[in-house]
Amino acid sequence: CLFLFFQCDNAKGLKAFYDAIKYGPNHLMVFGGVCATVTSIIAESLKGWNLVQLSFAATTPELADKKKYPYFFRTVPSDNAVNPAILKLLKYYQWKRVGTLTQDVQRFSEVRNDLTGVLYGEDIEISDTESFSNDPCTSVKKLKGNDVRIILGQFDEEMAVKVFCCAYDEEMYGSKYQWIIPGWYENLWWESWINSSQCLSKNLLAAMEGYIGVDFEPLSSKMTKTISGRTPQQYEKEYNAKRGDGQSSKFHGYAYDGIWVIAKTLQRAMKYLNATNKHQKIEDFNYTNHKLGKIFLDAMNETNFIGVTGRVVFRNGERMGTIKFTQFQERKEVKVGEYNAVADTLEIINNSIRFQGVEPPKDKTIIQEELRKISLPLYSILSALTILGMIMASAFLFFNIKNRNQKLIKMSSPYMNNLIILGGMLSYASIFLFGLDGSFVSEKTFETLCTVRTWILTVGYTTAFGAMFAKTWRVHAIFKNVKMKKKIIKDQKLLVIVGGMLLIDLCILICWQVVDPLRRTVEKYNMEVCP
């Protein structure tokens, strides 16, 4: 009742199919299709023959188009099935910024385009999309230039060797980077292509260390009895015993589950016919019987059972399977997790993923704006010295006031001495205010502080300097008297001189405050590496 085909030659495959339609008995379904070219051609024509096709190995995303291939199903997940798993992994490690590197081949481009759609609206930015034909180094440089740390790659084994060689040259490996690439490469795949690259083997392995591969799970890892009564492990043991020394295919579990899908589909179709139309049987099927063809199609869509590859469920003809994550650790692939598409859950095996650093890589260079502050120890030392200075000035002021009537003190103009001390104390006070930066006060307070400390320092300096200047001027005026006549210059006149100086300062400060007051500005410095 089944037409089986595994041809990869277009002409031979099509001839075999049309010969079976023309000369053979009526086939109920088509089982097979390994190569994308033959499978897609036959799948497109099946609607005209009322035939449902089930493939166990055709993974090309093109076949997911239900308008073009409405009668096509597959037990193996599509190449696009890895994208929801990648999304789940990105969310698990909170990576929100990624870049893609794609080989210019339709298979890889389709997966990349689907990934773009999957990530859209998920708060994950694709910051750079690069593609290449033969030399990936230019694209790798662009990814580095755009500060891409999480790279989602789609390329074959030959190109993978070139990509990782370029990554080594650009230092895009280690604790700051994470590569996520296809996981379907052959075991020790790099050894076949290392000679064609310009890279030393140790350099290539250093760049490859830690990459994560994503691919469908050939067999379920659960110890659960399947529809056949066997666990996946029992099935694998029996399969290996029967194949002997024959080459193993990673699709064998999907082929086995495929036979069960067809059996259950025919069983459901027979039950439906027995319940609704006892005069019609599945043996009555022919290529023009659209009613029976629709019954087979609906029965296939209702598939739901536990197989050796996991739960077998179709969504729009696509298998909702299990995706595995492996990591390259010390020259070998190690399984580190799996994604269940049916339940939409990600399971990471405990302590299996080894990142090159102490934590997962960041998805970008984290720029932390840090306010440059006045050193607190330095501010504390200067404040302590300032306090000592103010204590000393206060002691001088007290001494000057207490002894103001003594002859020597009185002759030195105690009022002017007091002005000098008060000016000095105001200047000392400004040190406290100059040390209060943005780490101690708010933005609004800081602007007020700028004005206050400028006024205090200016008035304090002018008061102290003005008093000393006035006293010096008096001595100069007295000794300049060549006629040696008695000349008295009282302190009141000196106070007028100091007051005049302060008046000039006040006029300048008031005009400054009215016309162009001090504003807080932020000075941007060059970026520095965090120690």
Side-chain angles (χ1 to χ4, degrees):
C1 67
L2 298 181
F3 171 67
L4 311 178
F5 79 97
F6 310 101
Q7 282 283 353
C8 283
D9 184 284
N10 286 2
K12 290 181 180 179
L14 290 173
K15 184 178 185 305
F17 174 70
Y18 288 119
D19 284 348
I21 295 293
K22 185 175 182 180
Y23 302 113
N26 283 344
H27 296 88
L28 300 180
M29 294 183 190
V30 178
F31 182 58
V34 177
C35 297
T37 51
V38 185
T39 306
S40 59
I41 294 171
I42 292 177
E44 193 172 1
S45 65
L46 289 178
K47 188 176 181 181
W49 303 99
N50 272 330
L51 282 171
V52 174
Q53 179 182 1
L54 181 67
S55 173
F56 58 86
T59 62
T60 177
E62 178 191 3
L63 292 166
D65 185 352
K66 297 312 291 181
K67 291 182 179 178
K68 195 173 182 180
Y69 310 106
Y71 279 69
F72 178 80
F73 292 80
R74 49 185 162 194
T75 54
V76 64
S78 158
D79 288 337
N80 285 346
V82 302
N83 291 333
I86 291 174
L87 170 62
K88 210 73 175 178
L89 184 71
L90 295 177
K91 286 186 172 182
Y92 184 84
Y93 287 109
Q94 299 180 359
W95 290 325
K96 296 186 177 182
R97 186 175 181 272
V98 301
T100 61
L101 182 62
T102 311
Q103 185 180 350
D104 280 334
V105 175
Q106 183 181 1
R107 174 185 182 183
F108 300 125
S109 298
E110 287 177 348
V111 177
R112 190 265 319 277
N113 294 339
D114 181 74
L115 177 64
T116 302
V118 169
L119 297 184
Y120 181 78
E122 295 290 344
D123 196 27
I124 295 177
E125 173 195 358
I126 300 180
S127 58
D128 193 10
T129 300
E130 297 293 335
S131 59
F132 64 93
S133 296
N134 188 48
D135 183 10
C137 288
T138 302
S139 298
V140 171
K141 285 181 182 178
K142 288 181 179 178
L143 288 171
K144 183 178 182 179
N146 288 322
D147 192 36
V148 174
R149 301 296 187 89
I150 312 300
I151 306 103
L152 310 180
Q154 284 292 331
F155 33 75
D156 59 27
E157 296 103 317
E158 181 182 5
M159 290 299 118
V161 169
K162 294 183 178 181
V163 166
F164 282 113
C165 282
C166 296
Y168 182 83
D169 293 338
E170 295 296 326
E171 297 183 345
M172 287 186 68
Y173 65 96
S175 61
K176 292 185 178 181
Y177 296 91
Q178 182 59 61
W179 289 82
I180 302 174
I181 65 173
W184 43 260
Y185 299 163
E186 295 292 332
N187 191 32
L188 303 176
W189 54 269
W190 65 90
E191 293 183 352
S192 304
W193 303 100
I194 184 66
N195 294 330
S196 62
S197 70
Q198 304 292 325
C199 207
L200 294 176
S201 179
K202 64 175 183 178
N203 296 344
L204 176 64
L205 291 171
M208 289 166 52
E209 185 67 25
Y211 78 71
I212 293 175
V214 191
D215 192 21
F216 60 82
E217 184 75 274
L219 286 175
S220 174
S221 59
K222 309 296 182 186
M223 301 286 290
T224 307
K225 278 196 174 183
T226 66
I227 192 171
S228 66
R230 302 178 181 88
T231 64
Q233 293 73 26
Q234 290 170 337
Y235 157 78
E236 185 177 27
K237 184 178 180 181
E238 187 175 341
Y239 167 77
N240 289 333
K242 289 189 175 182
R243 75 178 174 87
D245 296 330
Q247 186 176 0
S248 174
S249 167
K250 69 175 183 178
F251 298 105
H252 65 83
Y254 293 99
Y256 181 77
D257 281 345
I259 296 296
W260 276 101
V261 169
I262 292 172
K264 297 296 288 183
T265 298
L266 294 177
Q267 187 184 60
R268 278 192 294 273
M270 286 189 288
K271 285 183 178 179
Y272 178 82
L273 290 173
N274 289 335
T276 59
N277 190 348
K278 295 185 178 180
H279 300 290
Q280 193 172 25
K281 299 180 180 179
I282 61 172
E283 290 88 341
D284 298 330
F285 174 80
N286 59 60
Y287 301 133
T288 59
N289 192 331
H290 293 283
K291 185 177 179 181
L292 267 177
K294 183 68 167 58
I295 290 172
F296 290 156
L297 185 66
D298 292 341
M300 184 77 80
N301 272 313
E302 293 172 4
T303 299
N304 191 341
F305 64 85
I306 302 294
V308 296
T309 58
R311 182 166 291 278
V312 182
V313 179
F314 296 118
R315 183 180 296 170
N316 294 324
E318 292 294 293
R319 170 70 187 278
M320 304 299 292
T322 302
I323 305 299
K324 68 171 180 176
F325 292 95
T326 57
Q327 189 179 38
F328 188 74
Q329 299 176 2
E330 298 176 355
R331 299 177 65 104
K332 63 179 183 291
E333 298 273 356
V334 178
K335 183 178 176 180
V336 294
E338 66 179 35
Y339 168 76
N340 187 319
V342 178
D344 190 30
T345 56
L346 174 66
E347 179 185 350
I348 299 296
I349 300 172
N350 291 336
N351 302 320
S352 58
I353 290 189
R354 298 181 192 172
F355 292 108
Q356 304 299 294
V358 295
E359 61 181 357
K362 303 298 182 185
D363 56 12
K364 61 183 176 182
T365 300
I366 298 176
I367 300 174
Q368 293 180 327
E369 288 198 347
E370 190 175 275
L371 188 66
R372 283 194 170 177
K373 300 176 288 188
I374 291 175
S375 170
L376 187 59
L378 179 62
Y379 178 59
S380 302
I381 292 170
L382 288 176
S383 296
L385 292 174
T386 300
I387 291 171
L388 289 176
M390 294 186 78
I391 292 172
M392 183 176 66
S394 300
F396 290 153
L397 182 63
F398 174 76
F399 177 83
N400 204 53
I401 293 172
K402 183 179 180 181
N403 300 292
R404 64 184 179 277
N405 293 320
Q406 289 188 15
K407 184 178 179 181
L408 289 175
I409 300 298
K410 196 171 185 178
M411 288 176 64
S412 68
S413 300
Y415 293 111
M416 305 308 295
N417 292 341
N418 292 343
L419 284 179
I420 293 172
I421 294 170
L422 289 173
M425 293 180 73
L426 282 175
S427 299
Y428 274 132
S430 69
I431 294 176
F432 294 114
L433 301 181
F434 274 102
L436 295 174
D437 60 8
S439 60
F440 293 105
V441 295
S442 65
E443 294 181 15
K444 189 174 181 181
T445 307
F446 188 80
E447 286 193 356
T448 305
L449 196 63
C450 282
T451 304
V452 171
R453 68 191 187 186
T454 304
W455 280 60
I456 289 178
L457 179 61
T458 304
V459 171
Y461 176 79
T462 301
T463 302
F465 176 79
M468 283 191 291
F469 174 82
K471 286 181 67 175
T472 305
W473 173 81
R474 181 166 62 180
V475 173
H476 168 74
I478 292 173
F479 283 93
K480 189 182 175 183
N481 181 13
V482 293
K483 296 181 180 180
M484 299 301 290
K485 291 182 179 180
K486 187 176 182 181
K487 190 173 185 179
I488 299 173
I489 301 176
K490 295 184 177 182
D491 286 350
Q492 287 84 346
K493 192 172 183 179
L494 300 183
L495 289 172
V496 170
I497 295 173
V498 176
M501 290 183 175
L502 284 173
L503 184 62
I504 295 171
D505 270 355
L506 289 174
C507 290
I508 294 172
L509 289 170
I510 291 170
C511 291
W512 186 3
Q513 185 65 26
V514 172
V515 177
D516 184 21
L518 289 169
R519 302 290 184 199
R520 176 184 179 273
T521 60
V522 178
E523 185 78 15
K524 295 281 186 180
Y525 292 90
N526 294 329
M527 285 194 291
E528 300 175 358
V529 178
C530 178

